Amino acid sequence: MSDIARPSVLFVCVHNAGRSQMAAAYLTHLAGDRVEVRSAGSAAAETVNPAVVEAMAEVGIDISAESPKVLTVDAVRASDVVITMGCGDTCPVFPGKKYLDWTLDDPAGQGVGAVRPIRDEIERRVRGLIAEFDV
């Protein structure tokens, strides 16, 4: 993937309130401006899951100002890599995009104790993604 000068990644989950928010925050935190990062939900929630905000704060990443965004065709079109996390068939598919599906537990309705292992697995996968990009 190193032929992409500044790769663009879109993380998608159902509500854009948990998994995709954590993934986007980690990629932004670890890769900085070397990667363009977006996140969205197929049925965006009103707010980011408070347990997710707390779990990310524990590792020094503040996502308290983030808000869920609705998935748009333009967001998919503008991204090189689309990573889905349980949104099923609601993600539009365009030729030439790389699609990955990360199977992760949904933190919705769970406390921070249940969110921590999901957060840590997302960090591991994001670090692997950065290594793939070679940025």
Side-chain angles (χ1 to χ4, degrees):
M1 270 197 257
S2 58
D3 59 327
I4 302 170
R6 183 171 177 245
S8 175
V9 178
L10 170 64
F11 294 101
V12 182
C13 66
V14 176
H15 298 117
N16 190 221
R19 295 165 290 188
S20 56
Q21 289 284 350
M22 288 189 282
Y26 264 124
L27 186 53
T28 300
H29 180 75
L30 296 169
D33 61 3
R34 296 172 296 162
V35 178
E36 186 177 358
V37 182
R38 296 179 181 83
S39 72
S42 54
E46 292 291 315
T47 60
V48 175
N49 179 335
V52 167
V53 173
E54 183 180 342
M56 292 303 286
E58 291 177 353
V59 295
I61 301 174
D62 181 7
I63 63 168
S64 61
E66 295 298 325
S67 59
K69 294 164 273 314
V70 175
L71 177 65
T72 65
V73 169
D74 289 340
V76 176
R77 192 176 284 130
S79 302
D80 300 308
V81 179
V82 178
I83 299 175
T84 59
M85 304 172 188
C87 71
D89 296 329
T90 60
C91 298
V93 175
F94 292 100
K97 307 288 177 199
K98 179 173 182 171
Y99 290 87
L100 301 172
D101 185 50
W102 289 359
T103 303
L104 297 159
D105 291 336
D106 188 347
Q110 302 200 53
V112 71
V115 173
R116 286 183 190 114
I118 302 167
R119 173 201 66 200
D120 296 345
E121 177 61 17
I122 288 172
E123 178 187 13
R124 187 188 70 74
R125 291 181 189 205
V126 166
R127 287 183 182 278
L129 189 66
I130 292 168
E132 267 187 65
F133 284 142
D134 193 30
V135 291

